[in-house]
Amino acid sequence: MARQKRFRARLPLFWSAVVTIVVVYLILVLGTPLLTTLMVGTERWIPMPRTLLIMFIIVVLVGIVTHVTTTDKRIEEFKGPVLSFLRGDQDGKWPAWARWGRLAGLIVLPILLGGFVYTQTKPSVTSPTALRIQHPTIPGAFEKASNPFRNPDGTVKEIKVLEEGRVLYQKNCRPCHGTTAGGDGPMARGFRLRPINFRDPGTIATLVEGYLVWRIKEGGPGLPPVSSPADSAMPSWKEELKDEEVWKIILAEYETAGVEPRKPEKLE
Ligand code: HEC
């Protein structure tokens, strides 16, 4: 007890307030997550939610203000270092380091504060919260397109074409869409909007082939505004692949995924 008193008597009120805030901040940012990580037994660091952190810091600030303002003596003591910092070396008694230190502080503090306000208020890129239309209406030009490599009953005309399609698929699409079109290619995990699992009967099996031609040729950049904002990584292939190759890939894509395309509705 006696030791603690001596320590507090030596540290001016202003600096003990600063030290308190720093210590509490470190406990909240490093100590608590470490403790929760140990208690829960996970390997992943469990950070403290930001809103909670802000709330705790506010409570500490309120505590400090209450403590400082209880007596006039404390208020005077607290103001001391602040006023002498602002007033500077009035009667030429400060050592050189203190004078330079004050000057550096006067330059650095506004920059730090400005930087803090800037980072807090600058707009940042976040995932859109609005729902996005996964399958926008297909442009008319693609709607009636039918695969030249299929018989009218939907079967594949030549097995050779299917094989070419498989090679083209593995070469161009596998990195993202995966070897078996499961949406699990090695690059897929890098995207926020991931390629979907085409083996799922709710995906390409519900689409006509013309729709795929459109999506493959135009890719993410060609999505209409109703599907935006979303960072679709799907490239536009109209420059790289010939129409014929796109049809071959589609043939192979359905076969690889083990599903059938939707049949276009018979109009009139
Ligand atoms: C760089 C990674 C990447 C490559 C390479 C890629 N895709 Fe995609 N693809 C995506 C992503 C991501 C999506 C989902 C985007 C979305 O929903 O807008 C997607 C969506 C699609 C869709 C639309 C599915 C739907 O339900 O609307 C089709 C069809 C498609 N890709 C086919 C292909 C084909 C064929 C190739 C090869 C020629 C290919 N992709 C190459 C990343 C890729």
Side-chain angles (χ1 to χ4, degrees), residues 8 11-24 60-61 63-65 67-68 78:
R8 290 192 65 181
L11 195 63
L13 195 54
F14 175 80
W15 291 110
S16 62
V18 172
V19 169
T20 310
I21 294 172
V22 172
V23 168
V24 170
V60 171
L61 285 178
I64 289 174
V65 170
H67 177 77
V68 168
F78 186 85

Side-chain angles (χ1 to χ4, degrees), residues 93-155:
K93 282 189 202 144
W94 285 25
W97 65 263
R99 268 182 277 127
W100 285 109
R102 173 176 176 268
L103 190 64
L106 285 176
I107 295 169
V108 171
L109 284 180
I111 293 177
L112 281 183
L113 195 67
F116 176 73
V117 172
Y118 174 75
T119 49
Q120 294 298 305
T121 51
K122 93 168 175 234
S124 66
V125 184
T126 45
S127 299
T129 44
L131 276 179
R132 122 173 221 268
I133 297 187
Q134 173 77 28
H135 288 135
T137 321
I138 174 171
F142 293 98
E143 204 178 331
K144 302 215 174 65
S146 70
N147 200 329
F149 300 112
R150 280 191 202 276
N151 295 315
D153 67 354
T155 51

Side-chain angles (χ1 to χ4, degrees), residues 132-136 168-177 187-188 191-196 198 202-204 206-207 211-216 219-220 223 227 230-235 237 241 246 249-250 253-254:
R132 122 173 221 268
I133 297 187
Q134 173 77 28
H135 288 135
L168 284 167
Y169 172 85
Q170 295 297 335
K171 220 174 95 189
N172 297 298
C173 322
R174 187 200 77 97
C176 298
H177 289 282
M187 275 170 76
F191 305 126
R192 209 184 300 148
L193 181 71
R194 294 205 189 173
I196 40 178
F198 290 158
T203 63
I204 54 171
T206 68
L207 300 172
Y211 198 94
L212 266 72
V213 177
W214 173 45
R215 295 302 332 124
I216 294 166
L223 279 171
S227 303
D231 313 330
S232 171
M234 173 65 185
W237 292 93
L241 299 171
V246 172
I249 291 179
I250 293 175
E253 196 168 10
Y254 277 104

Side-chain angles (χ1 to χ4, degrees), residues 15-57:
W15 291 110
S16 62
V18 172
V19 169
T20 310
I21 294 172
V22 172
V23 168
V24 170
Y25 181 79
L26 288 180
I27 291 177
L28 294 176
V29 168
L30 303 173
T32 324
L34 185 70
L35 198 70
T36 25
T37 310
L38 290 177
M39 271 163 49
V40 182
T42 55
E43 284 182 8
R44 266 209 280 148
W45 185 253
I46 305 172
M48 166 159 299
R50 212 179 144 72
T51 40
L52 209 57
L53 186 76
I54 292 173
M55 258 163 59
F56 278 131
I57 293 288

